[in-house]
Amino acid sequence: QVQLVQSGGGLVQAGGSLRLSCAASGSILSINAMGWYRQAPGKQRDLVAIVTSGGNTNYQDSVKGRFTISRDIAKNTVYLQMNSLKPEDTAVYYCNVVVTLVTSIREYWGQGTQVTVSS
């Protein structure tokens, strides 16, 4: 079993910054990809940023140049540095991890953390 623990988030004024983190633990042989998704009220959950095992990154167009995803391989932790935040970034942010276990490849979700950007 794999556990994800998210931290960070909160309330910030427009133009401010926040940092999210997500630590994975458990019987992990390797991590295939780590990413962040967000879901605003009444909307679907969308990919914000992802980093693969090879270090390649991909971002949603609306956050390019403002958000940075990074990882600490030794700690099985992924971070999302969010700068120049806008009110439209307000959402619940979820960590997502795809891992290789002993007998399978599985996907796990963090518990979600609220990010609120005031105008």
Side-chain angles (χ1 to χ4, degrees), residues 59 61 63-68 83-84:
Y59 296 89
D61 285 345
V63 307
K64 286 181 179 177
R66 301 189 297 122
F67 291 10
T68 302
N83 298 329
S84 302

Side-chain angles (χ1 to χ4, degrees), residues 26-43:
S27 302
I28 300 171
L29 292 183
S30 63
I31 294 180
N32 299 3
M34 305 182 84
W36 292 94
Y37 288 71
R38 67 186 180 187
Q39 187 168 21
K43 295 188 177 182

Side-chain angles (χ1 to χ4, degrees), residues 2 24 28 30-33 97-101 104-108:
V2 174
I28 300 171
S30 63
I31 294 180
N32 299 3
V97 176
V98 179
V99 301
T100 297
L101 306 176
S104 62
I105 295 174
R106 296 192 65 179
E107 179 182 46
Y108 293 89

Side-chain angles (χ1 to χ4, degrees), residues 60-115:
Q60 180 186 113
D61 285 345
S62 66
V63 307
K64 286 181 179 177
R66 301 189 297 122
F67 291 10
T68 302
I69 189 169
S70 62
R71 59 180 181 163
D72 184 327
I73 296 175
K75 296 181 179 180
N76 285 344
T77 299
V78 62
Y79 305 95
L80 185 68
Q81 179 65 44
M82 304 183 291
N83 298 329
S84 302
L85 282 160
K86 304 176 180 180
E88 51 264 42
D89 294 318
T90 296
V92 177
Y93 284 69
Y94 295 92
C95 172
N96 175 275
V97 176
V98 179
V99 301
T100 297
L101 306 176
V102 174
T103 59
S104 62
I105 295 174
R106 296 192 65 179
E107 179 182 46
Y108 293 89
W109 291 92
Q111 78 273 22
T113 187
Q114 178 70 45
V115 171

Side-chain angles (χ1 to χ4, degrees), residues 33-37 47-52 56-59 69 96:
M34 305 182 84
W36 292 94
Y37 288 71
L47 175 68
V48 176
I50 189 169
V51 57
T52 68
N56 296 316
T57 59
N58 193 32
Y59 296 89
I69 189 169
N96 175 275

